[in-house]
Short mmCIF file of all heavy atoms in Angstrom, two decimals:
data_model
loop_
_atom_site.label_atom_id
_atom_site.label_comp_id
_atom_site.label_asym_id
_atom_site.label_seq_id
_atom_site.Cartn_x
_atom_site.Cartn_y
_atom_site.Cartn_z
N ALA X 15 142.57 127.79 126.06
CA ALA X 15 143.36 128.82 125.41
C ALA X 15 142.56 130.13 125.47
O ALA X 15 141.33 130.12 125.41
CB ALA X 15 143.65 128.44 123.97
N ASP X 16 143.28 131.23 125.57
CA ASP X 16 142.61 132.53 125.67
C ASP X 16 141.68 132.78 124.48
O ASP X 16 140.62 133.40 124.62
CB ASP X 16 143.64 133.66 125.77
CG ASP X 16 144.33 133.69 127.11
OD1 ASP X 16 143.82 133.10 128.08
OD2 ASP X 16 145.42 134.31 127.19
N SER X 17 142.08 132.28 123.32
CA SER X 17 141.32 132.56 122.09
C SER X 17 139.95 131.89 122.08
O SER X 17 139.09 132.27 121.26
CB SER X 17 142.13 132.09 120.89
OG SER X 17 142.40 130.71 120.98
N VAL X 18 139.71 130.90 122.95
CA VAL X 18 138.42 130.20 122.92
C VAL X 18 137.66 130.33 124.24
O VAL X 18 136.52 129.82 124.34
CB VAL X 18 138.61 128.71 122.58
CG1 VAL X 18 139.39 128.56 121.28
CG2 VAL X 18 139.29 127.95 123.70
N LYS X 19 138.23 130.98 125.22
CA LYS X 19 137.55 131.12 126.50
C LYS X 19 136.20 131.81 126.33
O LYS X 19 136.08 132.81 125.62
CB LYS X 19 138.43 131.92 127.47
CG LYS X 19 139.53 131.13 128.12
CD LYS X 19 140.33 131.98 129.09
CE LYS X 19 141.45 131.18 129.72
NZ LYS X 19 142.30 132.00 130.61
N GLY X 20 135.20 131.26 126.97
CA GLY X 20 133.86 131.82 126.89
C GLY X 20 133.07 131.34 125.70
O GLY X 20 131.85 131.56 125.63
N ARG X 21 133.73 130.66 124.75
CA ARG X 21 133.04 130.17 123.55
C ARG X 21 133.05 128.64 123.48
O ARG X 21 132.09 128.05 122.99
CB ARG X 21 133.70 130.74 122.29
CG ARG X 21 133.67 132.25 122.21
CD ARG X 21 134.16 132.74 120.85
NE ARG X 21 135.54 132.37 120.57
CZ ARG X 21 135.92 131.65 119.52
NH1 ARG X 21 135.04 131.22 118.66
NH2 ARG X 21 137.21 131.38 119.34
N PHE X 22 134.12 128.02 123.93
CA PHE X 22 134.27 126.56 123.86
C PHE X 22 134.14 125.98 125.26
O PHE X 22 134.56 126.58 126.25
CB PHE X 22 135.64 126.17 123.31
CG PHE X 22 135.85 126.47 121.84
CD1 PHE X 22 134.96 127.24 121.11
CD2 PHE X 22 136.96 125.96 121.20
CE1 PHE X 22 135.17 127.51 119.78
CE2 PHE X 22 137.19 126.22 119.85
CZ PHE X 22 136.29 127.00 119.15
N THR X 23 133.58 124.77 125.32
CA THR X 23 133.46 124.05 126.59
C THR X 23 133.88 122.60 126.39
O THR X 23 133.35 121.91 125.51
CB THR X 23 132.02 124.08 127.11
OG1 THR X 23 131.59 125.43 127.28
CG2 THR X 23 131.93 123.36 128.45
N ILE X 24 134.84 122.16 127.20
CA ILE X 24 135.27 120.77 127.16
C ILE X 24 134.60 120.02 128.31
O ILE X 24 134.45 120.55 129.40
CB ILE X 24 136.82 120.66 127.25
CG1 ILE X 24 137.27 119.21 127.00
CG2 ILE X 24 137.34 121.19 128.57
CD1 ILE X 24 138.78 119.08 126.84
N SER X 25 134.19 118.81 128.03
CA SER X 25 133.57 117.99 129.07
C SER X 25 133.88 116.52 128.78
O SER X 25 134.38 116.18 127.71
CB SER X 25 132.05 118.21 129.11
OG SER X 25 131.45 117.87 127.87
N ARG X 26 133.59 115.66 129.76
CA ARG X 26 133.87 114.25 129.59
C ARG X 26 132.78 113.40 130.21
O ARG X 26 132.14 113.82 131.18
CB ARG X 26 135.23 113.88 130.19
CG ARG X 26 135.34 114.09 131.68
CD ARG X 26 136.81 113.98 132.14
NE ARG X 26 137.33 112.63 131.97
CZ ARG X 26 138.63 112.34 131.91
NH1 ARG X 26 139.53 113.32 131.96
NH2 ARG X 26 139.03 111.10 131.77
N ASP X 27 132.59 112.23 129.65
CA ASP X 27 131.66 111.24 130.19
C ASP X 27 132.46 109.98 130.42
O ASP X 27 132.76 109.24 129.47
CB ASP X 27 130.51 111.01 129.20
CG ASP X 27 129.45 110.06 129.74
OD1 ASP X 27 129.76 109.28 130.67
OD2 ASP X 27 128.33 110.08 129.23
N ASN X 28 132.83 109.73 131.66
CA ASN X 28 133.68 108.58 131.96
C ASN X 28 132.98 107.25 131.68
O ASN X 28 133.62 106.26 131.35
CB ASN X 28 134.14 108.64 133.42
CG ASN X 28 135.13 109.76 133.67
OD1 ASN X 28 135.77 110.26 132.74
ND2 ASN X 28 135.26 110.17 134.92
N ALA X 29 131.67 107.22 131.80
CA ALA X 29 130.93 105.99 131.52
C ALA X 29 130.97 105.64 130.04
O ALA X 29 130.92 104.46 129.67
CB ALA X 29 129.48 106.13 131.98
N GLN X 30 131.09 106.67 129.19
CA GLN X 30 131.11 106.46 127.74
C GLN X 30 132.52 106.55 127.16
O GLN X 30 132.70 106.42 125.96
CB GLN X 30 130.22 107.51 127.05
CG GLN X 30 128.75 107.44 127.43
CD GLN X 30 128.11 106.16 126.97
OE1 GLN X 30 128.42 105.62 125.91
NE2 GLN X 30 127.19 105.63 127.78
N ASN X 31 133.53 106.76 128.02
CA ASN X 31 134.91 106.91 127.56
C ASN X 31 135.03 107.97 126.47
O ASN X 31 135.78 107.79 125.49
CB ASN X 31 135.45 105.57 127.02
CG ASN X 31 135.73 104.57 128.11
OD1 ASN X 31 135.51 104.86 129.30
ND2 ASN X 31 136.19 103.41 127.76
N THR X 32 134.32 109.07 126.65
CA THR X 32 134.23 110.09 125.61
C THR X 32 134.50 111.46 126.18
O THR X 32 134.07 111.78 127.29
CB THR X 32 132.84 110.04 124.96
OG1 THR X 32 132.62 108.75 124.38
CG2 THR X 32 132.72 111.09 123.86
N VAL X 33 135.19 112.27 125.40
CA VAL X 33 135.40 113.67 125.71
C VAL X 33 134.76 114.49 124.60
O VAL X 33 134.76 114.08 123.44
CB VAL X 33 136.90 114.01 125.87
CG1 VAL X 33 137.66 113.78 124.58
CG2 VAL X 33 137.10 115.42 126.38
N TYR X 34 134.20 115.64 124.99
CA TYR X 34 133.47 116.48 124.06
C TYR X 34 134.10 117.87 124.01
O TYR X 34 134.71 118.33 124.97
CB TYR X 34 132.02 116.64 124.51
CG TYR X 34 131.30 115.33 124.78
CD1 TYR X 34 131.30 114.78 126.05
CD2 TYR X 34 130.65 114.65 123.76
CE1 TYR X 34 130.66 113.58 126.31
CE2 TYR X 34 130.00 113.45 124.01
CZ TYR X 34 130.01 112.92 125.29
OH TYR X 34 129.38 111.73 125.54
N LEU X 35 133.89 118.54 122.88
CA LEU X 35 134.25 119.96 122.77
C LEU X 35 133.06 120.67 122.13
O LEU X 35 132.81 120.52 120.94
CB LEU X 35 135.51 120.16 121.94
CG LEU X 35 136.01 121.60 121.90
CD1 LEU X 35 136.51 122.03 123.29
CD2 LEU X 35 137.12 121.78 120.87
N GLN X 36 132.33 121.43 122.96
CA GLN X 36 131.22 122.22 122.48
C GLN X 36 131.78 123.57 122.03
O GLN X 36 132.39 124.29 122.83
CB GLN X 36 130.18 122.42 123.57
CG GLN X 36 129.03 123.35 123.20
CD GLN X 36 128.17 122.80 122.09
OE1 GLN X 36 127.81 121.63 122.10
NE2 GLN X 36 127.83 123.65 121.12
N MET X 37 131.57 123.91 120.78
CA MET X 37 132.13 125.14 120.21
C MET X 37 130.98 126.05 119.78
O MET X 37 130.19 125.67 118.90
CB MET X 37 133.03 124.81 119.02
CG MET X 37 134.14 123.82 119.35
SD MET X 37 135.29 123.56 117.98
CE MET X 37 134.21 122.78 116.78
N ASN X 38 130.90 127.21 120.41
CA ASN X 38 129.86 128.19 120.10
C ASN X 38 130.50 129.46 119.55
O ASN X 38 131.70 129.69 119.70
CB ASN X 38 129.06 128.52 121.36
CG ASN X 38 128.32 127.32 121.92
OD1 ASN X 38 127.87 126.44 121.19
ND2 ASN X 38 128.20 127.27 123.24
N SER X 39 129.67 130.29 118.93
CA SER X 39 130.12 131.58 118.39
C SER X 39 131.38 131.39 117.56
O SER X 39 132.37 132.13 117.72
CB SER X 39 130.38 132.57 119.54
OG SER X 39 129.22 132.76 120.31
N LEU X 40 131.35 130.43 116.67
CA LEU X 40 132.53 130.10 115.88
C LEU X 40 132.92 131.25 114.96
O LEU X 40 132.05 131.98 114.43
CB LEU X 40 132.30 128.83 115.08
CG LEU X 40 132.40 127.55 115.93
CD1 LEU X 40 131.72 126.38 115.24
CD2 LEU X 40 133.86 127.23 116.21
N LYS X 41 134.23 131.40 114.76
CA LYS X 41 134.80 132.44 113.93
C LYS X 41 135.60 131.80 112.80
O LYS X 41 136.08 130.67 112.95
CB LYS X 41 135.73 133.31 114.77
CG LYS X 41 135.09 133.92 116.01
CD LYS X 41 136.13 134.66 116.84
CE LYS X 41 135.53 135.25 118.10
NZ LYS X 41 136.54 135.97 118.91
#
């Protein structure tokens, strides 16, 4: 979403069946 671009990063680890959301510069 435009509101989180540059601040949030989504990633996944298929071996761990896990998805992550790294949130920086939170408002």
Side-chain angles (χ1 to χ4, degrees):
D16 288 342
S17 59
V18 306
K19 280 181 181 177
R21 300 188 298 122
F22 290 10
T23 302
I24 188 170
S25 60
R26 63 192 294 159
D27 184 339
N28 289 340
Q30 298 295 324
N31 287 1
T32 300
V33 63
Y34 308 92
L35 186 67
Q36 175 66 45
M37 305 185 294
N38 297 327
S39 302
L40 283 161
K41 305 175 182 180

